[in-house]
Amino acid sequence: MVVVTDADRRVTWVNQTYTAVTGWTLDEVRGLPAGARTHGPLTDKRVTEQLGNTLRQGRSVSGVEVVNYRKSGEPYTLLLNIEPVRNIDREVIAYFSIQMDVTERRKLEKSNAQLQYHLQAAQRLLKLGLVKFDRVTQQLKWTSEINEIFEIDKSTTGGSLGDLRKFVAIEALPELQERIDKSLATGEEFDHDFPIVTTNGHRRWVRVCGVPERQDRNWRGPETWTIQDISVYKELYEQKRLNNEKLRIMVGERTTRLEEANRSLEVFSHALSHDLKKPVRHMASFSEIVKSSIVAGDVDAAMVYCDKVISAGNRLSSLIDGMLAFSRLGRKGIHCCMVDMRKLTTECIGEVSASFPSQAFTASGVDDLPVVWADPVLTREVWSNLLDNAFKYSGMREVTCLNFASVESVDGWTLSIRDNGLGIEAGDALDIFGMFTRVDADASISGDGIGLAMCKRIIQSHGGRIWVESAQQEGSTFCVYLPRTAPSSGFGEI
Ligand code: ADP
């Protein structure tokens, strides 16, 4: 824009650009003091006054910025250069002013400055350093973040490629070289994470990025590289990976347990229908015989079959009791404490042997039993069951010989009860811990096949194991392993 004023700084001429920028025509501003139309609230009074003073002293003004207003009322930033025009007597007769609308430029400059500020802040926050490679000198220049990342003295702001390369952890070098070669061969962006060892010996992870540049038909290394410290991110990532791994294992274990539970549920329901049906079927058919015996007047036969109906009923009731006891276990949860197995065994022997009054027995090893970390109520249940079986399945011996023993290992105790009963064939040894499983050879000895299933469930809930070592007719040894780290309480999955 060009504005010409007289010596009193009243406008005498403006060019068309002035009208295009401000919206004011020559007729609208001619004769008015300069700025009369264009000054407004944001125009800095001090600047315009100083500008007036300078001009009055006959001096020129250059590069002064003021906010002016267009005819539309919109403010704009003006860059002013004003030159006094003199006659041959050196008197000022006019002012010649060249003005430039720098609004856009200032806006851009401001936004650039803001951008730069944000970039620097982001760079600092992201621990992102910039490295510039000078192809002529073959030297690097870097920003202060690089000094922080590599723990290089602040006074060093550049160096050779080798100066940075020496920080790369030795094991990461081959892959790094491979990646660089690949990027230079294909022109692909270089983006690689690798460990470094800083000046002070700290191990860190950095991410280095750069885009190769075209040179004729080939690629050459980037001039600008970014190096970011990603140690924290790596740590978190590693933590997350470990957590995921743990989670995967946990889910796997849970799935296995669920599958096991499902399988045992199937076996259980199969056994349930089979074993419960048997006495019911017997009761029905024996009752038929009782009926026909009465019709035939054979009271003795009727009485015999009545007894059979009664014993089938008793069997049914005992089966139901056992099942209820088994299912109640699931709701108990376990509560561990130190359990003195010597005391517990002595009490159990007293109670169980009372149910076998005519059976002579000896018990050895009780005094050497240890104190273990277990649920006292549930452990008593296991021990009573095992003892009851030991008495029951050695009834044919003149004297039942019981031997108790314990072996301590690094992580727990193995307790055992040996009897001199009829023993178990190797092939049956695993099955007997299943629900309703009985060995055929024992048909003469009453039982429901629930006790050992219950023992297994209790011991497993302690994180332990139960098994039998036996040979037929040579007695059986039931072993229970209890880990030292059994859960203290609430392990509800009995
Ligand atoms: P039950 O004794 O009521 O049949 P259990 O679950 O306690 O049920 O035992 C399952 C089976 O294991 C028994 O039927 C028996 O065949 C076998 N068994 C358990 N304990 C002994 C033992 N001490 N000696 C020989 N066999 C045993």
Side-chain angles (χ1 to χ4, degrees), residues 289-290 292-307:
I289 301 175
V290 171
S292 43
S293 302
I294 292 173
V295 172
D298 190 347
V299 179
D300 289 344
M303 288 302 280
V304 169
Y305 281 97
C306 270
D307 284 345

Side-chain angles (χ1 to χ4, degrees), residues 316-364:
L316 190 63
S317 136
S318 136
L319 271 176
I320 291 170
D321 285 348
M323 271 164 40
L324 287 178
F326 187 81
S327 72
R328 264 197 302 271
L329 274 181
R331 274 173 270 134
K332 268 187 185 160
I334 70 168
H335 303 280
C336 289
C337 61
M338 300 310 286
V339 179
D340 182 346
M341 286 308 291
R342 199 171 54 158
K343 188 162 170 271
L344 187 140
T345 307
T346 310
E347 287 166 7
C348 282
I349 293 175
E351 281 160 23
V352 175
S353 61
S355 312
F356 300 87
S358 53
Q359 206 162 318
F361 73 95
T362 62
S364 61

Side-chain angles (χ1 to χ4, degrees), residues 120-416:
Q120 279 171 354
Q123 228 171 290
R124 273 199 309 278
L125 281 175
L126 290 172
K127 298 189 174 171
L128 183 70
L130 275 185
V131 177
K132 293 255 181 204
F133 176 61
D134 186 329
R135 291 197 199 285
V136 182
T137 61
Q138 296 282 302
Q139 287 293 298
L140 304 174
K141 273 236 155 265
W142 57 67
T143 57
S144 58
E145 289 79 18
I146 297 290
N147 296 68
E148 275 170 35
I149 295 171
F150 293 90
E151 296 186 314
I152 303 172
D153 189 89
K154 274 200 181 89
S155 59
T156 312
T157 55
S160 67
L161 267 171
D163 288 340
L164 285 190
R165 208 185 168 84
K166 71 172 186 228
F167 291 109
V168 181
I170 197 134
E171 74 277 11
L173 273 168
E175 199 188 342
L176 175 64
Q177 192 55 53
E178 203 179 291
R179 295 291 198 102
I180 292 177
D181 293 346
K182 188 178 167 213
S183 169
L184 289 182
T186 60
E188 248 173 48
E189 179 186 337
F190 179 87
D191 184 346
H192 184 45
D193 302 349
F194 55 89
I196 56 155
V197 181
T198 68
T199 310
N200 299 331
H202 296 131
R203 201 177 156 82
R204 286 183 182 164
W205 274 83
V206 291
R207 178 183 179 186
V208 177
C209 300
V211 184
E213 289 165 18
R214 258 244 179 262
Q215 186 188 34
D216 308 324
R217 291 185 160 184
N218 296 323
W219 296 97
R220 57 183 187 175
E223 266 181 23
T224 307
W225 296 85
T226 58
I227 302 183
Q228 186 182 9
D229 182 350
I230 54 165
S231 311
V232 175
Y233 161 80
K234 269 275 169 186
E235 243 171 57
L236 291 175
Y237 181 82
E238 187 57 17
Q239 190 66 46
K240 197 174 154 204
R241 197 187 61 74
L242 287 177
N243 285 350
N244 279 348
E245 186 59 21
K246 265 192 218 155
L247 209 69
R248 200 184 59 74
I249 293 171
M250 267 166 64
V251 170
E253 282 173 356
R254 185 150 293 188
T255 310
T256 314
R257 281 219 296 273
L258 270 175
E259 281 168 0
E260 254 170 37
N262 252 351
R263 262 196 308 278
S264 42
L265 203 69
E266 262 170 42
V267 174
F268 182 78
S269 59
H270 176 77
L272 189 72
S273 56
H274 177 263
D275 283 61
L276 283 187
K277 262 186 197 160
K278 211 156 88 184
V280 174
R281 219 173 35 240
H282 284 168
M283 283 165 80
S285 47
F286 292 152
S287 302
E288 284 294 334
I289 301 175
V290 171
K291 237 170 86 182
S292 43
S293 302
I294 292 173
V295 172
D298 190 347
V299 179
D300 289 344
M303 288 302 280
V304 169
Y305 281 97
C306 270
D307 284 345
K308 286 184 188 281
V309 172
I310 291 166
S311 87
N314 287 340
R315 164 124 185 80
L316 190 63
S317 136
S318 136
L319 271 176
I320 291 170
D321 285 348
M323 271 164 40
L324 287 178
F326 187 81
S327 72
R328 264 197 302 271
L329 274 181
R331 274 173 270 134
K332 268 187 185 160
I334 70 168
H335 303 280
C336 289
C337 61
M338 300 310 286
V339 179
D340 182 346
M341 286 308 291
R342 199 171 54 158
K343 188 162 170 271
L344 187 140
T345 307
T346 310
E347 287 166 7
C348 282
I349 293 175
E351 281 160 23
V352 175
S353 61
S355 312
F356 300 87
S358 53
Q359 206 162 318
F361 73 95
T362 62
S364 61
V366 179
D367 287 344
D368 299 327
L369 288 175
V371 173
V372 295
W373 180 252
D375 182 306
V377 178
L378 295 174
T379 313
R380 181 179 289 266
E381 187 89 26
V382 172
W383 230 225
S384 295
N385 260 296
L386 295 181
L387 261 176
D388 192 68
N389 282 348
F391 272 99
K392 205 160 69 173
Y393 295 103
S394 53
M396 80 298 280
R397 308 280 181 222
E398 222 164 277
V399 179
T400 295
C401 299
L402 305 171
N403 177 262
F404 296 86
S406 64
V407 177
E408 189 176 10
S409 55
V410 194
D411 43 10
W413 285 98
T414 301
L415 309 169
S416 61

Side-chain angles (χ1 to χ4, degrees), residues 315 318 385-394 396 417-425 428-429 431-443 445-455 468 470 475-478:
R315 164 124 185 80
S318 136
N385 260 296
L386 295 181
L387 261 176
D388 192 68
N389 282 348
F391 272 99
K392 205 160 69 173
Y393 295 103
S394 53
M396 80 298 280
I417 304 181
R418 195 179 72 221
D419 63 50
N420 58 340
L422 49 82
I424 301 157
E425 247 188 292
D428 296 324
D431 296 342
I432 55 171
F433 294 96
M435 191 66 178
F436 299 128
T437 318
R438 309 203 67 227
V439 177
D440 285 342
D442 318 323
I445 303 170
S446 69
D448 305 323
I450 295 175
L452 287 182
M454 205 139 80
C455 292
V468 64
S470 173
S476 320
T477 307
F478 279 84

